[in-house]
């Protein structure tokens, strides 16, 4: 099979830093949501984990649907015109900027990742409506101050921003460290800003087994958390209805409402900073 990344790799040594001998979270997730940017090692682990727990595919797909619904709500109902998407992963269909700019063509979006795979696809993310703007930052979630400083080149941090962190904080092993990252990021955003967040949860034996199998594959581990821990990320924020719920239960729209009863092992919510 041809190298799916060969046409988009940069000339600055990025491709040389891509390790194709171990599964990679962005490529693994891309495989699960039907993308094309993955290697044999990612597909092998993906198929193995699907055999252990097929429900992980639902987590991937339904998390993307949750992102779309929430971004549309933020742009249409809350009037948000600025989005900071951290841990964006590989581009697929209905990326944050595409959803937001369909509603508000003047929306500005900054994607943040520090992964060479995603960096190789930066050009795919750096598209925008003529009225808006889309930018990509090669930065680290663990360095919130730098993320905010660099994002300010594109976003006006004196005006509300929607901070988006989807299926990313599970890669931060220490829960308190993950909470501190969120607190520091939100502290740098003004009143009226939002936190849109979801992560995989330890709400079934299958999901826990899938996380263990992924860890055993040699990939960077992903730590599934309790629902109460996901809710803890929203401490100090005003949770919008229906609160922290399964991603399928967050304001399901016509056409996907039949998924709302699915026991998907991913919880999330949307909170507003006072």
């Amino acid at each position: 099979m041809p190298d799916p990344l060969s046409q988009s790799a940069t000339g600055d040594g990025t491709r040389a830093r891509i390790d194709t001998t171990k599964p990679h979270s962005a490529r693994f997730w891309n495989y699960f949501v039907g993308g094309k940017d993955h290697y044999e090692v990612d597909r092998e682990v993906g198929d193995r984990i699907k055999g252990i727990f097929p429900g992980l595919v639902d987590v991937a797909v339904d998390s993307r649907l949750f992102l779309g619904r929430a971004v549309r709500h933020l742009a249409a109902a809350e009037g948000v015109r600025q989005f900071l998407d951290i841990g964006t992963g590989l581009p697929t269909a209905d990326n944050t900027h595409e959803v937001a700019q369909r509603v508000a063509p003047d929306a500005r979006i900054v994607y943040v990742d520090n992964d060479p795979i995603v960096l190789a696809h930066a050009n795919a993310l750096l598209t925008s409506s003529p009225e808006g703007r889309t930018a990509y930052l090669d930065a680290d979630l663990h360095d919130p101050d730098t993320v905010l400083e660099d994002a300010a080149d594109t976003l006006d941090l004196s005006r509300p921003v929607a901070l988006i962190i989807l299926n990313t904080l599970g890669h931060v092993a220490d829960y308190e460290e993950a909470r501190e990252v969120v607190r520091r990021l939100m502290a740098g955003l003004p009143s009226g800003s939002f936190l849109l967040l979801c992560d995989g949860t330890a709400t079934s034996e299958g999901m826990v087994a899938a996380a263990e199998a992924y860890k055993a594959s040699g990939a960077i581990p992903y730590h599934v958390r309790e629902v109460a821990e996901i809710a803890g990320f929203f401490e100090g924020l005003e949770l919008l209805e229906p609160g922290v719920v399964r991603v399928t239960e967050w304001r399901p729209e016509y056409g996907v409402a039949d998924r709302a009863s699915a026991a998907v092992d991913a919880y999330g919510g949307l909170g507003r900073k006072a």
Side-chain angles (χ1 to χ4, degrees):
M1 182 177 179
D3 179 351
L5 299 178
S6 61
Q7 299 302 312
S8 57
T10 64
D12 62 357
T14 295
R15 191 175 185 280
R17 294 189 288 124
I18 297 174
D19 184 354
T20 63
T21 66
K22 296 180 180 179
H24 180 279
S25 61
R27 301 190 314 243
F28 174 84
W29 215 241
N30 183 266
Y31 176 52
F32 270 21
V33 299
K36 299 178 180 179
D37 299 311
H38 36 75
Y39 291 105
E40 185 63 30
V41 65
D42 308 299
R43 296 187 288 275
E44 287 178 356
V45 172
D47 290 340
R48 189 183 315 142
I49 291 179
K50 281 193 287 186
I52 296 170
F53 182 55
L56 191 58
V57 176
D58 293 329
V59 171
V61 172
D62 285 315
S63 294
R64 293 292 300 183
L65 294 173
F66 166 67
L67 170 69
R69 294 196 304 275
V71 169
R72 280 192 290 273
H73 172 81
L74 284 163
E78 305 292 345
V80 175
R81 294 296 180 267
Q82 303 191 109
F83 299 82
L84 179 57
D85 188 339
I86 300 180
T88 178
L90 288 163
T92 56
D94 286 338
N95 299 289
T96 298
H97 74 282
E98 294 169 322
V99 176
Q101 290 179 348
R102 283 192 204 115
V103 177
D106 61 335
R108 293 188 167 212
I109 296 88
V110 171
Y111 293 103
V112 179
D113 213 299
N114 72 332
D115 193 285
I117 298 291
V118 180
L119 181 61
H121 284 266
N123 288 335
L125 289 173
L126 289 170
T127 59
S128 177
S129 64
E131 303 92 335
R133 187 174 174 189
T134 302
Y136 172 82
L137 298 181
D138 183 8
D140 194 332
L141 171 71
H142 294 85
D143 188 2
D145 295 338
T146 297
V147 169
L148 292 168
E149 180 180 351
D150 291 349
D153 290 339
T154 301
L155 307 178
D156 179 356
L157 300 188
S158 69
R159 298 174 52 214
V161 174
L163 172 63
I164 302 172
I165 314 178
L166 263 61
N167 298 308
T168 298
L169 289 170
H171 289 297
V172 181
D174 184 79
Y175 177 59
E176 289 305 320
E177 179 184 356
R179 288 188 66 182
E180 181 62 17
V181 166
V182 173
R183 281 194 291 263
R184 288 173 61 187
L185 287 165
M186 289 304 298
L189 302 178
S191 297
S193 292
F194 290 84
L195 172 64
L196 171 60
L197 182 149
C198 79
D199 255 308
T201 50
T203 41
S204 75
E205 292 182 0
M207 186 64 169
V208 173
E212 288 298 317
Y214 186 71
K215 178 181 178 181
S217 74
I220 297 174
Y222 184 91
H223 304 272
V224 292
R225 294 194 158 104
E226 301 298 329
V227 176
E229 292 177 306
I230 304 301
F233 290 122
F234 294 93
E235 183 179 359
L237 303 178
E238 174 195 353
L239 270 171
L240 275 63
E241 292 294 337
V244 175
V245 295
R246 293 185 191 273
V247 293
T248 47
E249 297 170 354
W250 199 91
R251 305 191 180 203
E253 297 171 342
Y254 180 77
V256 295
D258 58 331
R259 299 184 67 90
S261 61
V264 175
D265 295 297
Y267 277 68
L270 181 62
R272 180 191 290 112
K273 181 176 179 178

